[in-house]
Amino acid sequence: MSAHQKLYEGKAKILYTTDDPEILLAHFKDDATAFNAQKRGSIAGKGEINCTISSHLLREMEAAGIATHFIDSPTGNQMRVRRVQILPLEVVVRNIAAGSLCKQTGLPVGTLLKQPLVEFFYKNDDLGDPLLTRERLFLLELATPEQVEQLKTLALQVNDILSAFFQRCGITLVDFKLEFGLDRDGTLRLADEISPDTCRLWNNSDDDPDRRVMDKDRFRRDLGNVEEAYQQVLERVLAQTNQQSE
Ligand code: TMP
Ligand code: ASP
């Protein structure tokens, strides 16, 4: 296959091949979807904001010894990544009850969980990314028992680093979704992105349940000021990253 061919187009990113078969170029789009693409829109500047935030956060993970697919970010909305085979799993970590956890269990939004909850969803758009039981995960052979243990450990490690990082930004990490892939050597690497599209982020300096939202819930729930919230997250992440490197 020649270089720079479109390999895959997802809802938020396009993956291109490069001259190196082990390296792909991810282009972050401004397109936004929710509820399995039943709601569609665009968030001005989102591609660049999410690519920049993700690049900083994936670098944080690498610095903490967590293997990721991140290589570098040649332009604002592009990221060079190691080619991995993505596991068809969405690994969700929750610190505070929100979203589908509340909808499916009746727990009030904002309930502080005694310990982080790790959940696995089947990454399958046709089925609407359903929540998996452990038994179903193994029935479908989506990962081995060893990989599931490894994924849980990694997800909790990411949660510790990410929660602390966002706390320093004055932001509470409510929950987030991770994806992992296997590289050519079979190493499990954190992949995809970490951004306001994939995290719930609440502003510490605002108690109002709508005003405090700094993530894609603003788009999902038509709360307005979506671009401004994403921009605010970017500014705080950049300020924190700069402060750490001083
Ligand atoms: P949920 O409460 O809707 O299950 O979402 C949990 C977390 O996962 C939340 O931070 C948003 C993120 N997420 C995605 O990144 N992609 C998705 O398709 C969905 C449904 C959630
Ligand atoms: N990934 C979801 C979609 O398919 C969006 C979301 O709710 O995060 O549209």
Side-chain angles (χ1 to χ4, degrees):
M1 200 185 280
S2 69
H4 311 298
Q5 273 193 333
K6 194 192 272 192
L7 187 67
Y8 169 82
E9 178 156 6
K11 284 175 284 201
K13 289 184 287 301
I14 306 174
L15 282 179
Y16 295 96
T17 59
T18 69
D19 297 330
D20 184 334
E22 291 308 314
I23 297 177
L24 300 178
L25 190 68
H27 172 96
F28 284 63
K29 301 195 283 186
D30 287 353
D31 298 355
T33 64
F35 314 117
N36 203 12
Q38 289 178 65
K39 181 184 173 89
R40 286 173 183 276
S42 178
I43 300 172
K46 177 170 87 81
E48 186 154 349
I49 293 174
N50 280 0
C51 182
T52 309
I53 294 173
S54 282
S55 298
H56 282 282
L57 296 178
L58 290 172
R59 265 194 218 105
E60 284 282 313
M61 298 307 143
E62 286 281 350
I66 293 172
T68 79
H69 71 158
F70 179 79
I71 298 173
D72 58 18
S73 176
T75 69
N77 59 4
Q78 290 184 322
M79 191 191 281
R80 290 198 316 141
V81 298
R82 254 175 245 267
R83 191 181 200 133
V84 293
Q85 207 174 347
I86 296 284
L87 297 178
L89 291 173
E90 299 199 337
V91 184
V92 169
V93 183
R94 302 179 190 274
N95 298 304
I96 294 175
S100 70
L101 177 65
C102 297
K103 209 176 278 174
Q104 294 173 3
T105 65
L107 268 178
V109 173
T111 307
L112 187 61
L113 307 184
K114 287 202 182 83
Q115 56 186 45
L117 176 66
V118 182
E119 298 184 310
F120 292 88
F121 290 75
Y122 186 15
K123 188 172 153 61
N124 183 319
D125 283 342
D126 292 341
L127 300 173
D129 298 341
L131 175 66
L132 287 164
T133 61
R134 213 181 145 74
E135 289 74 13
R136 287 184 183 189
L137 192 159
F138 293 135
L139 175 78
L140 298 175
E141 297 180 353
L142 301 176
T144 63
E146 294 73 29
Q147 283 172 336
V148 167
E149 285 317 304
Q150 216 185 334
L151 288 169
K152 267 191 196 166
T153 304
L154 283 168
L156 289 171
Q157 250 180 298
V158 171
N159 185 42
D160 285 344
I161 302 163
L162 216 49
S163 292
F165 182 90
F166 277 121
Q167 254 340 300
R168 294 196 293 276
C169 300
I171 294 172
T172 295
L173 178 62
V174 173
D175 59 29
F176 59 96
K177 182 264 300 179
L178 300 175
E179 293 185 25
F180 292 86
L182 294 168
D183 69 13
R184 199 178 45 171
D185 304 330
T187 301
L188 203 51
R189 289 184 179 272
L190 175 59
D192 196 50
E193 64 180 276
I194 307 175
S195 72
D197 267 15
T198 62
C199 300
R200 282 198 175 90
L201 303 168
W202 291 352
N203 189 352
N204 285 350
S205 58
D206 205 329
D207 280 342
D208 182 86
D210 289 346
R211 273 202 320 258
R212 69 185 172 191
V213 174
M214 303 180 81
D215 57 73
K216 198 177 174 186
D217 271 352
R218 297 209 75 83
F219 171 77
R220 295 188 188 99
R221 294 166 47 201
D222 294 319
L223 296 176
N225 297 320
V226 188
E227 288 87 357
E228 291 79 357
Y230 276 57
Q231 187 65 39
Q232 185 54 229
V233 174
L234 171 65
E235 280 168 24
R236 294 199 202 181
V237 166
L238 289 180
Q240 185 52 41
T241 309
N242 288 338
Q243 202 171 318
Q244 284 178 188
S245 62
E246 267 166 20

